[in-house]
Amino acid sequence: MSAAWFDKLSDGLSRTRVTIQSRIAAAVGASRAVDDAFFDGIEEALVLADVGATAAAEIVGNLRQAVRRERVREPEAALDLLVDLVAQEFPQPVDDPLDDLPAVVLLVGVNGSGKTTTAGKLAAEARAAGRTVVIGSADTYRAAAIEQLRVWAGRAGAHVVERERGADPAAVAFDAVAHGMEAGADLVLVDTAGRLHTSKDLMEELKKVDRVVRKRSAAPVKSLLVIDATAGQNALQQAREFHAALGLDGVVLTKLDGTAKGGIVVAVARELGLPVVRIGVGEGVDDMHSFDAREFARALVGAPS
Ligand SMILES: Nc1nc2c(ncn2[C@@H]2O[C@H](COP(=O)(O)OP(=O)(O)OP(=O)(O)O)[C@@H](O)[C@H]2O)c(=O)[nH]1
Ligand SMILES: [Mg+2]
């Protein structure tokens, strides 16, 4: 793990860090003791970073045990244990669907979470590794969405499969997969329209896209939920619903550059056992990184690397 990666992630999580660090500093206080006030401060800090009340309480419960077991007296040493505990919430090693090509990857999520941007970044990443990429433009609701994806595909050097606005998204997805299979593409990315997890019709539509893609694809199909880190606790409910509908393979956490709420993935990983496949830390093509649970935990807690 390079130091540059850590710096970027820490930059991305800087607001989270400031919040957690200052809370923890307040918890440590003048006494600098690992006492009830210390544990309460950490729990509060984790809740504020959107780890969720249940997860925060359990992590702190485990921290209390670990502190006792290891007879830790220094706050810094207790924070090291906290980093370990947060990191352990993530499934390891990450089974990266993008490592194992050929593959078809479906990008799903609520409106504006960063699906199209992530499709573009993933396409560019695969192209840079010498892979051939097809992107299916299955967000047919808005003409602007088709155009946006075309721009990303052009930039990445990926072939884009699209139909007119209003076309059946499942038909576009089918075309894209068919084209990818026939052309022997390494990676087929399917960008879907944003939809609320509470919308029954749109979730049914997505299931149809998924069915059609699986039927046509000779390669493994993976569904990734794109979560906006600024969505906070709501993202947990999104993850539950999308997971129930599709059986997700992982999540991409975007917009970590603009939030104090990166902890939501801890809750998602913990409850659903889903790996974080990539993180987005900006709008540019290079603003995406793979995820390392330990480094993430360090950045979240604000412990030095
Ligand atoms: N700062 C920041 N902005 C991002 C990131 N990822 C995406 N965005 C921005 O978020 C906005 C929405 O991104 P899109 O990729 O269009 O999101 P989407 O999920 O495709 O949206 P819909 O198709 O409308 O549901 C755009 O302005 C992106 O530039 C990120 O990691 N960091
Ligand atoms: Mg989009």
Side-chain angles (χ1 to χ4, degrees):
M1 192 55 52
S2 72
W5 187 93
F6 182 79
D7 287 345
K8 278 201 165 170
L9 176 58
S10 293
D11 284 350
L13 283 169
S14 57
R15 295 189 205 186
T16 312
R17 256 180 123 193
V18 169
T19 314
I20 294 205
Q21 273 173 339
S22 49
R23 292 259 156 198
I24 288 176
V28 171
S31 75
R32 294 192 43 80
V34 181
D35 54 12
D36 282 346
F38 173 81
F39 290 116
D40 289 348
I42 287 181
E43 188 168 334
E44 196 183 338
L46 291 174
V47 170
L48 284 171
D50 253 329
V51 167
T54 314
E58 286 190 23
I59 290 169
V60 169
N62 292 339
L63 180 63
R64 281 179 185 269
Q65 281 180 15
V67 159
R68 215 173 303 133
R69 192 173 54 239
E70 310 208 1
R71 300 177 199 287
V72 165
R73 301 202 190 287
E74 293 295 314
E76 288 74 17
L79 290 184
D80 282 344
L81 292 175
L82 176 63
V83 169
D84 291 342
L85 289 170
V86 171
Q88 281 162 22
E89 298 290 347
F90 295 95
Q92 289 289 347
V94 172
D95 177 17
D96 186 346
L98 297 139
D99 258 358
D100 203 9
L101 301 182
V104 174
V105 173
L106 216 56
L107 294 161
V108 303
V110 300
N111 307 75
S113 62
K115 296 173 292 299
T116 304
T117 305
T118 301
K121 289 174 178 175
L122 289 173
E125 181 192 273
R127 291 290 299 132
R131 307 297 200 152
T132 51
V133 180
V134 171
I135 313 183
S137 198
D139 179 353
T140 56
Y141 286 96
R142 295 175 300 118
I146 300 172
E147 182 55 33
Q148 182 194 5
L149 194 65
R150 204 183 287 153
V151 170
W152 272 106
R155 216 180 272 159
H159 180 82
V160 64
V161 172
E162 59 186 43
R163 284 195 186 188
E164 73 288 352
R165 181 174 165 269
D168 178 3
V172 185
F174 181 90
D175 285 354
V177 174
H179 179 86
M181 295 301 121
E182 281 153 22
D186 297 309
L187 178 62
V188 179
L189 295 162
V190 178
D191 181 33
T192 64
R195 69 199 71 225
L196 279 177
H197 51 294
T198 49
S199 162
K200 214 170 166 357
D201 289 352
L202 292 178
M203 292 304 279
E204 283 305 318
E205 179 193 85
L206 191 59
K207 285 195 209 170
K208 182 179 164 197
V209 170
D210 182 64
R211 272 198 307 275
V212 163
V213 163
R214 283 179 195 278
K215 206 160 184 184
R216 183 62 185 86
S217 180
V221 177
K222 308 281 180 178
S223 316
L224 299 182
L225 177 68
V226 180
I227 294 177
D228 175 344
T230 65
Q233 278 293 304
N234 186 258
L236 182 57
Q237 194 55 29
Q238 293 166 20
R240 285 180 184 136
E241 300 287 344
F242 277 95
H243 194 41
L246 299 180
L248 298 169
D249 295 284
V251 303
V252 174
L253 183 67
T254 62
K255 309 189 195 179
L256 266 178
D257 49 310
T259 180
K261 306 277 186 182
I264 187 58
V265 276
V266 178
V268 170
R270 190 168 175 284
E271 183 178 315
L272 303 175
L274 292 172
V276 183
V277 170
R278 293 289 184 282
I279 54 171
V281 292
E283 303 192 78
V285 65
D286 293 326
D287 296 327
M288 186 181 72
H289 302 284
S290 40
F291 178 81
D292 181 289
R294 244 196 109 67
E295 295 300 314
F296 181 84
R298 280 191 183 284
L300 191 70
V301 171
S305 62

